[in-house]
Amino acid sequence: MMRRRTGSREALGGRYFWVSDGLIVREPGVSAIVGVLEGLLDNGDFTSIRQRLD
């Protein structure tokens, strides 16, 4: 699924996949995770993919 989105504007060009209880980042490492989180914050998608845990 992420491969299909490569080169598109969806999911930051296929850099991540999310479901209601998880976020999968395509590339390993902290810098890749931070990059995806920054991208989500920049384009306003962060608030739509996260869920508050009580």
Side-chain angles (χ1 to χ4, degrees), residues 31-47:
S31 62
I33 295 168
V34 169
V36 166
L37 293 176
E38 288 175 336
L40 291 170
L41 287 167
D42 288 345
N43 67 17
D45 287 339
F46 184 77
T47 56

Side-chain angles (χ1 to χ4, degrees), residues 14-41:
R15 291 173 52 198
Y16 73 90
F17 173 78
W18 75 275
V19 291
S20 62
D21 61 349
L23 174 69
I24 299 170
V25 176
R26 185 178 191 141
E27 300 296 323
V30 174
S31 62
I33 295 168
V34 169
V36 166
L37 293 176
E38 288 175 336
L40 291 170
L41 287 167

